Every structure is written in C-alpha cells, then in structure tokens.
Amino acid sequence: MRDIILEARNLSYSYEDSSSPALNGLSLSVARGSKIAVMGANGSGKSTFFLCCNGILKPDQGELLFKGQPVSYRKKNLLELRSKVGIVFQNPDTQLFCASVYQEISFGPLNLGIPEKEAAEAVENIIETLEITDFRHRPAHALSGGQKKQVALADILVMKPEIMILDEPFAALDPVHTRIIRQQIDKMCASGMTVLLATHNTDYALEWADEVVLLKNGRVLSQDRPDKALTDEELLKETNLELPSVIRLHKFLCSRGMADPSLPVPRNMDELEKELLAVRS
Ligand SMILES: Nc1ncnc2c1ncn2[C@@H]1O[C@H](COP(=O)(O)OP(=O)(O)OP(=O)(O)O)[C@@H](O)[C@H]1O
C-alpha cells in the first residue's frame, strides 16, 4: 500500500480580486519519497496549490492532510508544518531578506530554536554542498538570479523538510546553475525526501519524475506515469505543453522503421541511443 504523506481533498481557493477560482476542486495524493512533476498552463493553479501545501494559503473549501492528519491553521501548528513542507519560490526575491547569505541560511534553524553550534554545522554543510562559499558573506540582494536561487534552496534545505516544493527551479538559470540545482534535487530524492516540482520542461519531467500531475483550471486533469502522461498529445495540448523532444524523435524513428514502437518509450537521449544500437546489432 502507498504511504501517503500529503493529500489534497477537493481544494478550492479564490483570490479576493479575482472573478474565477484559482483552485477549483483539486484532489491529489502524494506518496512519501516520490518525485512529482506538477505541470500545466500559466495560471492553472500550480503556485496556489503549493502555497496551500504549507499553509501559507488556507483553502476556502476542501481539506489538506499531512501524514493523514488534517492541517491545523493555528500559529504553532503552521510553524511546524512549514518546517516540514518547504517551498522554494519561483522568484527568490520573495524569500530572501537577511543582511548576508550566511545570516539568511541561519535564520530558519535559529528561529526554530536549534542550538547555535548545531545550526552552524548544518549551515556550513549546506553552504558547501550548494557551492555558495564564495558569496557567503555578501548581501543576498546583491547576488545574481542563479546565485539567489542557490541561496533560496539552501535556506529551505537547511531545515531538513520532509517535503520539498520547488516552483520552476530552473527558470532563468544558465546551464551551470541548472546543473548545480539538478544535482541537489537528485541528492534530495536519493535521501528519501518527497519532491514536488513545477516545470514546463517535459524533457526534464519525463526523465526525472515518478509521476506527472497535469493541472487545468485549478483541478487535476491527470496524475499518471511520465511515459503515459507525456506521450498523450491530447492531454499535452490541453495543458499547453509540448511533446518531449526525445519522444518526438522516437516517434519519427518508429515511423521510418528505425526504432521499435513495441519497446518501452525512451526517457532520455541515452536510452534512445541504447535502443538504436540494440536494433542495429
Ligand atoms: N495574488 C494573486 N491575486 C489574484 N489572483 C491571483 C494571484 N495569484 C494568482 N492569481 C490567479 O490565480 C490563478 C492561478 O494562478 P497560479 O499562480 O496559481 O498559477 P500557476 O499555474 O502557478 O501559473 P504560472 O505557470 O504562470 O506560474 C490565475 O488565474 C492567477 O491570475
């Protein structure tokens, strides 16, 4: 049986100044340790759902359960929930506010009452892993977008959350910063952390995710394996997403008799290369 760490039951949420709901009966179960790509057109409700997941927003209707318990919106319970469900926002400027990067990353653990020595050790660890050492004493507002993203991730990671939510973590990153963040995500997943990640990049989702959740108009259109969801052209069209390039190439090769459509679809270029070599030999 799946060990469900987070469950959304029929969530609805409307912003005050908006005529249509941002979430409109969203239901979703998240298994512990899973890697979930949350995808959908701009405005489909991804960020609003994420903000509900750690109690920043309280749904107008429906229920959110963390480890089987309904989320309580009392201040003490919310603080605890937020230390277990961490969000790295799309725009790191909404997250960073301390005078220096070091202070920024230390803030969470010290605020939670973790002893200074222990907090300092955790901060040093994260600084090293995320390759932040060079700018650890600089003010966060003076960093580049990619560096801010590294700090924003460190900021949440140092709290050792059980669920990590990443809202478009690669937006506006160059290939080097993308690699740093990707490697970190892989380490988090390998450690058993549950990761929810919003992206429009179907190639990455196909390769990385265990499950793809497609949102449309504030509800779940589909929750399925990536090789099912991301090869369904109708579903992709409905959610403004593109067929992954490896799937497009695979389809072309199959149509020319150069690849075998009866084999499982490749999840990345390496798998496609292997399949092609096997067909030729
Ligand atoms: N602060 C806000 N005030 C009013 N309406 C909002 C606010 N934030 C989002 N919305 C609206 O709620 C709906 C869902 O937005 P949301 O940001 O959750 O979507 P999203 O899928 O994360 O979009 P994107 O891919 O562009 O980041 C949209 O119609 C949006 O205009």
Side-chain angles (χ1 to χ4, degrees), residues 269-280:
M269 286 298 176
D270 287 347
E271 285 188 15
L272 179 58
E273 272 176 23
K274 272 190 200 140
E275 186 189 322
L276 292 178
L277 288 174
V279 169
R280 284 176 136 237

Side-chain angles (χ1 to χ4, degrees), residues 22-61:
L23 299 183
N24 191 10
L26 184 149
S27 296
L28 176 66
S29 294
V30 176
R32 185 190 291 277
S34 57
K35 302 187 263 185
I36 301 202
V38 181
M39 310 183 83
N42 292 135
S44 56
K46 301 177 295 289
S47 304
T48 307
F49 168 59
F50 289 161
L51 293 172
C52 287
C53 286
N54 83 343
I56 292 176
L57 293 181
K58 183 179 178 190
D60 303 328
Q61 280 176 39

Side-chain angles (χ1 to χ4, degrees), residues 94-210:
T94 50
Q95 196 178 318
L96 309 175
F97 58 91
C98 286
S100 78
V101 166
Y102 188 88
Q103 283 173 325
E104 183 66 57
I105 304 171
S106 309
F107 179 83
L110 293 177
N111 197 37
L112 263 193
I114 293 172
E116 241 171 78
K117 191 162 171 274
E118 203 181 309
E121 266 173 28
V123 173
E124 290 300 338
N125 257 329
I126 293 289
I127 283 181
E128 201 173 309
T129 340
L130 274 160
E131 303 181 27
I132 287 171
T133 313
D134 286 352
F135 45 90
R136 56 187 282 157
H137 296 303
R138 285 177 50 196
H141 67 82
L143 302 177
S144 76
Q147 292 167 334
K148 281 181 188 169
K149 206 76 177 206
Q150 282 163 269
V151 176
L153 183 55
D155 217 9
I156 304 299
L157 208 49
V158 74
M159 306 287 283
K160 301 190 173 73
E162 293 182 44
I163 300 180
M164 176 66 96
I165 296 177
L166 302 158
D167 201 349
E168 299 196 27
F170 312 120
L173 293 189
D174 69 20
V176 170
H177 287 89
T178 301
R179 178 186 52 77
I180 294 173
I181 302 293
R182 279 188 183 194
Q183 284 174 346
Q184 194 50 49
I185 293 172
D186 289 343
K187 276 189 202 160
M188 285 159 17
C189 296
S191 76
M193 197 180 276
T194 307
V195 180
L196 275 73
L197 181 154
T199 179
H200 298 284
N201 183 338
T202 48
D203 281 293
Y204 180 70
L206 178 69
E207 181 170 9
W208 173 80
D210 298 326

